[in-house]
Amino acid sequence: MSENNQEKTLNLPLLPLRDMIIFPHMVVPLFVGREKSIAALEESVGKNNELFLVTQKDASILNPERTDVYDIGTVVSIIQMLRLPDNTVKVLIEGKYRAKISTFKSSNDGYWAEVVELKDGEVDGVALEAVTRSVKTTFEQYVKLNKRIPPELLMSISSINDPSRLADIIVAHMSMKIPEKQEVLEADNVEKRLHLLLEKMQGEIEIINVERKIRNRVKTQMEKSQKEYYLNEQINAIQRELGQKDDGKGELEEFEEKLKTKAMPEEAADKVRKEIRKLKNMSPMSAESAVVRNYIDWMLSLPWQDYTKDDNSLESAKKVLEEQHYGLKDVKDRIIEYLAVRTLVKDKSKGTILCLAGPPGVGKTSIGTSLAEALGRSFVRISLGGVRDEAEIRGHRRTYVGAMPGKIIQALKKAKTGNPLILLDEIDKMSSDMRGDPASAMLEVLDPEQNKNFADHYIEVEYDLSKVMFVMTANDVSKIPGPLKDRMEIITIPGYTPDEKLQIGKQYLLSKAIRNNGLDDYIFKISDSTIAAIIDQYTREAGVRELERMMNTIARKTATNVVDKQIAKGKKFNISISQLKHFLGPCKFDRTDLEIEPQLGLVNGLAWTAVGGEVLNIEVVTHEGTGKLSITGKLGEVMQESAKAALSYVRSISDKLGVIADWYNKHDIHIHVPEGATPKDGPSAGITMMTALTSAIAGIKVWQNVAMTGEVTIRGRVLPIGGLKEKLLAAKQYGMKKVIIPKKNEKDLQEIPDHIKDNLEIIPVTDAEEVLRIALEIARPETFMKMVGLKVVNGGEEVSNGKLEVANH
């Protein structure tokens, strides 16, 4: 080799090799049989014994051309050559240095090539020394594991100080494919060759270890089973290690990767690891395999410790609530207070469980949605209406076919976060049967002291629900079991007044109806008076759902008219009261159908229903009979008892009414509450029934502009009732002038808006006689005076100073 920096170019005979590569410093015998190759050898011996060896890319080609050989080979010198009897030649060669083909010539007499000697590029001495040591150490491990390499080789390797010579000698003893060896040969500097060699040796060591592991595993299994089982297991073991067996192992690897990156409690992680190990040893065709896979998938899909950050900004919450809901000042204030407390309290895991109670259509569910938006939390709604099975909450055990987690765990998977806002809708509609009581299962979910260790039967490990915010909705709070109600703070959302409905319709529902019915390109208006008429004549509800339906009906029919007549964009539609019959048909409700003149035995009571307040007429008639009491109108047990208590009170004051004792034995009394198909119950109609009975029995008419509510005892005491706001609202809507309420409900008037109390004379009473003084018409003064404990002087005819003289009885 030349000592200067100029490239050394030689014109040498070329010998193509098949299935082998010669490296510098190698001394190896070759058997040459092709005529062109023998010619190249003879040409070399005739000159300076130098020959260029290069490997064929495809060993099956007999007469290779330029493209059939690699670019880089080795220049060798011939040490000895011997011709054998079968016309083949045995030659002993020694590798000298690397060279690259510049030109390639082929003729009938052989191959020749003009080659350029390749020199090593410059390297970092420290880095070269480091990689040289690593190669020697790794090769020592490789020799110990690979029994095909003689241990004596280690002695000669350890004494080699030339890195290039070291690389060339080691690669000659490696079990490598031809392309891999060629890659090492073509490396342009010694450091790169050593790195490649190090990488290949480490790979070979790993393969040898895996093979040893497979042999040990197969040997152990062979001792326990027959030969056929051993052969099958050996094949499976090899395929498992190579990752080629298509039996769902890719999915197993995916599970293991997920588990490594999944943030979850150690108990849950251990459970998943055990299930993955169980799945590995299970036949993929077994039924239990599908169950285990489904379980692992659920466990890895749950947001065990993935939490979002809360936005406790009060300004943001106020803005969201104001934009999406009209009115409801008390409700909004309570939610803002809740958020303010959360900002100050450090332990946010023990928060209040809110329950939004009120009639349908007042916005309970949408308030929950707005609260989630204000907090920046994921929102999930769970409908509990009709849930009868405890397993719907706690999940099914995995022993059951088709088992799955309960609704709470399902909601968390859907939310993809461990602290969402979960809205438990219609919690008062849950019921129980032979499959358990789901309301009792909800106790653990909602109790802040217990839900950090919530146990779902399916996932079998405890789940922390303490960071979940639960909001419930209910129509009738009385139907929620006591222990469950004790764990929640109830926020009552009352029904809307007509004025509030008007504003909601104008500000929210109208634009929604335009958007939902494709009228954005038209000027569609419904005047305030028209919306008020819809509320008064076509809806009877506490919320605004029916109002929304009516406005959608008008918008829908307008849209039909637009399409049918191909009306151009920009057309103005202004819906007036006179057009309502065309769009909505005749009026559904007429609040002016109340009696004007005083009536006998007919009294207006006030009732609370799930859809708001209602005026409930109670009718009583008497006729000759045998003292029988009939009660009709599909009344509940409590209401029937109220009727009997009212009758007992009326009989106790018979002498004041001027009714003889045996009158009750000769007459039948019939109490009826109209709308007989609708179930009715509760004690608050007590004074209404008492007044109606008194009117019918004593023959005194009742004023029809008076409504009343209150429970009555058999001694005439008036007891408090609930739902006062809804009842006063109903009285106002029906045009009542006076409302009689229990004295103990007087404190509730402070919480009722003034616009509901305006134009209503609200009279608190403590006993039944006060009710009778207000409600009964004084058509027969002497009877009335006697009834209320007064005595008429001179038959009510004597007048002194222009006034009727009376004296206490």
Side-chain angles (χ1 to χ4, degrees):
M1 292 192 300
S2 175
E3 296 297 323
N4 55 31
N5 293 330
Q6 296 182 351
E7 291 182 340
K8 181 179 178 181
T9 304
L10 295 171
N11 191 9
L12 298 174
L14 184 144
L15 179 64
L17 300 175
R18 290 190 284 193
D19 291 328
M20 69 181 301
I21 292 179
I22 302 300
F23 285 84
H25 311 106
M26 280 180 64
V27 177
V28 64
L30 297 177
F31 290 90
V32 181
R34 287 185 286 188
E35 291 181 2
K36 286 187 177 183
S37 298
I38 293 172
L41 284 172
E42 291 174 348
E43 179 71 17
S44 175
V45 172
K47 291 186 178 180
N48 57 359
N49 285 347
E50 283 193 339
L51 184 66
F52 181 69
L53 301 186
V54 67
T55 304
Q56 289 180 205
K57 295 177 181 176
D58 186 354
S60 62
I61 298 174
L62 289 175
N63 296 305
E65 296 298 329
R66 172 69 183 87
T67 56
D68 299 323
V69 296
Y70 289 103
D71 293 335
I72 295 175
T74 305
V75 174
V76 302
S77 64
I78 299 173
I79 300 173
Q80 186 182 19
M81 188 171 76
L82 177 66
R83 188 178 290 274
L84 300 176
D86 60 352
N87 293 327
T88 60
V89 177
K90 179 180 179 182
V91 60
L92 184 67
I93 57 98
E94 179 183 8
K96 306 296 283 182
Y97 54 86
R98 290 168 174 78
K100 182 176 182 180
I101 298 175
S102 178
T103 59
F104 177 93
K105 296 176 185 178
S106 173
S107 68
N108 294 332
D109 297 330
Y111 299 99
W112 283 266
E114 192 171 290
V115 298
V116 179
E117 179 185 355
L118 296 179
K119 295 184 178 180
D120 286 341
E122 294 205 358
V123 295
D124 182 355
V126 175
L128 182 60
E129 177 64 20
V131 73
T132 301
R133 291 182 183 180
S134 297
V135 166
K136 286 184 178 181
T137 305
T138 308
F139 186 71
E140 186 177 349
Q141 296 176 13
Y142 178 69
V143 170
K144 289 178 181 177
L145 291 171
N146 192 338
K147 303 301 181 184
R148 292 189 291 271
I149 300 177
E152 296 80 14
L153 184 62
L154 284 176
M155 296 295 295
S156 59
I157 290 293
S158 62
S159 63
I160 296 174
N161 296 322
D162 180 9
S164 180
R165 182 180 177 84
L166 176 71
D168 293 336
I169 291 177
I170 288 178
V171 73
H173 292 86
M174 293 284 295
S175 300
M176 296 167 61
K177 294 178 183 177
I178 292 297
E180 293 176 334
K181 285 192 174 184
Q182 183 68 29
E183 183 183 1
V184 176
L185 181 68
E186 292 179 358
D188 56 10
N189 66 59
V190 62
E191 185 182 345
K192 187 174 180 182
R193 284 199 295 278
L194 288 170
H195 274 294
L196 283 170
L197 208 53
L198 184 62
E199 181 181 330
K200 301 294 183 186
M201 282 193 293
Q202 287 173 339
E204 284 293 312
I205 289 170
E206 286 182 10
I207 292 171
I208 291 170
N209 286 329
V210 169
E211 287 176 347
R212 178 179 291 180
K213 191 191 300 181
I214 292 171
R215 284 197 299 271
N216 291 338
R217 183 187 302 161
V218 172
K219 183 179 178 182
T220 304
Q221 292 168 346
M222 183 178 62
E223 292 170 354
K224 298 179 182 178
S225 61
Q226 299 174 352
K227 182 179 179 181
E228 181 182 357
Y229 180 76
Y230 152 69
L231 293 173
N232 286 331
E233 283 302 315
Q234 188 178 35
I235 292 170
N236 288 336
I238 293 169
Q239 289 177 332
R240 273 200 296 272
E241 295 299 334
L242 294 175
Q244 294 177 350
K245 189 170 176 65
D246 186 20
D247 61 353
K249 294 300 181 287
E251 187 181 15
L252 272 174
E253 291 171 5
E254 186 182 333
F255 284 153
E256 288 174 338
E257 287 300 319
K258 262 190 180 179
L259 181 59
K260 288 177 186 175
T261 58
K262 186 73 176 176
M264 59 196 304
E266 191 57 35
E267 181 189 4
D270 286 342
K271 182 73 175 173
V272 175
R273 287 190 199 99
K274 289 178 184 176
E275 295 297 322
I276 291 175
R277 283 198 295 271
K278 186 193 297 183
L279 187 58
K280 282 181 178 178
N281 298 320
M282 202 177 289
S283 168
M285 302 304 292
S286 68
E288 191 181 356
S289 171
V291 174
V292 175
R293 286 175 196 277
N294 195 40
Y295 176 79
I296 295 171
D297 186 52
W298 265 103
M299 293 290 281
L300 294 176
S301 300
L302 291 175
W304 294 90
Q305 293 172 344
D306 301 330
Y307 302 118
T308 56
K309 187 176 181 181
D310 283 357
D311 178 8
N312 290 319
S313 167
L314 299 188
E315 289 301 320
S316 172
K318 287 177 183 176
K319 183 179 178 183
V320 171
L321 291 171
E322 287 298 333
E323 283 178 354
Q324 299 181 5
H325 298 88
Y326 178 82
L328 305 177
K329 183 178 182 302
D330 293 342
V331 179
K332 291 176 182 175
D333 288 347
R334 180 62 191 87
I335 290 174
I336 296 300
E337 291 166 8
Y338 174 81
L339 295 178
V341 171
R342 282 181 57 83
T343 305
L344 297 176
V345 175
K346 292 181 180 179
D347 186 5
K348 295 181 173 60
S349 63
K350 296 182 180 180
T352 307
I353 309 294
L354 299 179
C355 178
L356 305 174
V362 295
K364 300 184 297 296
T365 304
S366 61
I367 284 176
T369 310
S370 300
L371 183 55
E373 183 181 334
L375 281 169
R377 290 194 177 201
S378 296
F379 175 79
V380 185
R381 174 182 168 272
I382 299 176
S383 178
L384 297 176
V387 172
R388 294 172 174 269
D389 190 354
E390 179 203 358
E392 291 281 337
I393 307 301
R394 289 189 183 276
H396 302 81
R397 299 191 184 279
R398 282 196 286 159
T399 50
Y400 295 101
V401 176
M404 61 189 306
K407 286 183 177 291
I408 304 298
I409 298 297
Q410 290 179 41
L412 287 164
K413 181 182 178 183
K414 184 179 178 182
K416 298 179 181 178
T417 172
N419 59 338
L421 186 149
I422 296 181
L423 182 77
L424 302 172
D425 214 4
E426 311 286 1
I427 197 166
D428 57 323
K429 304 295 191 302
M430 281 194 304
S431 54
S432 58
D433 63 6
M434 61 181 183
R435 290 167 292 186
D437 183 5
S440 298
M442 289 298 292
L443 293 176
E444 185 183 5
V445 175
L446 298 179
D447 193 333
E449 298 295 332
Q450 300 179 41
N451 62 13
K452 62 184 177 184
N453 299 318
F454 174 68
D456 186 279
H457 291 156
Y458 182 83
I459 65 173
E460 297 178 355
V461 292
E462 293 179 346
Y463 196 100
D464 184 4
L465 296 178
S466 62
K467 292 181 175 60
V468 178
M469 181 175 180
F470 290 101
V471 177
M472 278 144 289
T473 70
N475 295 137
D476 189 353
V477 178
S478 64
K479 293 182 180 178
I480 302 175
L484 194 56
K485 192 193 302 183
D486 184 55
R487 284 163 170 79
M488 57 182 77
E489 179 171 340
I490 296 171
I491 301 176
T492 302
I493 304 178
Y496 294 113
T497 65
D499 291 339
E500 289 174 332
K501 290 180 183 179
L502 173 62
Q503 294 301 322
I504 292 170
K506 184 169 68 171
Q507 296 180 28
Y508 301 93
L509 304 183
L510 179 58
S511 58
K512 191 175 177 182
I514 292 171
R515 187 171 59 252
N516 290 347
N517 294 283
L519 296 175
D520 300 274
D521 296 328
Y522 299 86
I523 302 171
F524 181 79
K525 292 184 178 180
I526 303 178
S527 65
D528 291 4
S529 58
T530 306
I531 296 175
I534 295 171
I535 294 167
D536 188 53
Q537 300 172 17
Y538 291 90
T539 66
R540 182 170 289 181
E541 58 176 347
V544 290
R545 281 194 186 139
E546 192 64 26
L547 173 60
E548 184 177 7
R549 289 191 196 100
M550 294 297 163
M551 296 179 78
N552 272 314
T553 301
I554 296 171
R556 192 168 56 247
K557 293 194 174 185
T558 304
T560 304
N561 189 34
V562 165
V563 175
D564 190 35
K565 297 182 179 178
Q566 297 183 351
I567 298 173
K569 294 180 180 179
K571 170 74 175 175
K572 185 175 182 180
F573 298 94
N574 196 354
I575 310 302
S576 62
I577 296 176
S578 60
Q579 294 175 285
L580 288 181
K581 285 189 179 180
H582 168 70
F583 285 109
L584 303 176
C587 300
K588 293 184 178 180
F589 304 104
D590 185 3
R591 301 189 189 277
T592 62
D593 58 357
L594 296 175
E595 298 288 348
I596 298 174
E597 298 297 325
Q599 300 293 318
L600 198 65
L602 177 63
V603 183
N604 298 314
L606 295 174
W608 180 92
T609 69
V611 295
E614 194 65 64
V615 171
L616 200 65
N617 294 327
I618 292 182
E619 302 173 339
V620 176
V621 295
T622 62
H623 50 80
E624 291 186 2
T626 59
K628 180 181 176 183
L629 173 65
S630 300
I631 304 173
T632 56
K634 204 172 183 181
L635 307 186
E637 186 176 339
V638 175
M639 205 163 181
Q640 291 187 39
E641 290 176 353
S642 289
K644 293 173 183 175
L647 180 60
S648 294
Y649 172 73
V650 173
R651 292 187 69 165
S652 71
I653 61 169
S654 293
D655 58 332
K656 295 181 181 180
L657 298 175
V659 178
I660 57 176
D662 63 347
W663 181 92
Y664 296 96
N665 298 326
K666 298 178 181 178
H667 292 81
D668 289 343
I669 301 172
H670 187 168
I671 302 174
H672 177 68
V673 183
E675 298 184 23
T678 306
K680 311 167 192 75
D681 203 3
S684 63
I687 63 171
T688 313
M689 290 181 173
M690 181 274 300
T691 304
L693 285 167
T694 303
S695 171
I697 292 169
I700 306 173
K701 294 182 179 181
V702 182
W703 296 109
Q704 293 303 297
N705 60 357
V706 178
M708 60 187 72
T709 179
E711 182 180 356
V712 70
T713 69
I714 57 175
R715 295 174 56 205
R717 292 186 300 128
V718 179
L719 303 181
I721 45 80
L724 183 61
K725 179 183 175 181
E726 287 80 2
K727 291 177 179 179
L728 292 179
L729 188 56
K732 187 177 182 71
Q733 290 174 343
Y734 276 84
M736 298 294 167
K737 300 298 181 185
K738 295 181 180 180
V739 178
I740 301 173
I741 65 169
K743 181 76 172 178
K744 290 184 179 179
N745 282 112
E746 191 174 14
K747 63 182 183 301
D748 300 331
L749 293 173
Q750 298 175 2
E751 299 178 2
I752 296 173
D754 291 337
H755 60 81
I756 295 179
K757 296 182 285 188
D758 289 345
N759 301 321
L760 273 183
E761 185 183 349
I762 301 171
I763 308 170
V765 297
T766 55
D767 61 69
E769 289 191 0
E770 290 182 67
V771 177
L772 298 176
R773 289 192 192 101
I774 299 163
L776 297 182
E777 180 196 32
I778 312 175
R780 293 161 55 190
E782 67 281 0
T783 305
F784 179 73
M785 296 292 181
K786 184 178 182 182
M787 179 193 70
V788 296
L790 300 176
K791 178 172 70 176
V792 181
V793 178
N794 297 328
E797 298 295 333
E798 185 176 9
V799 177
S800 174
N801 299 324
K803 293 183 180 179
L804 188 66
E805 290 289 330
V806 295
N808 285 332
H809 180 59

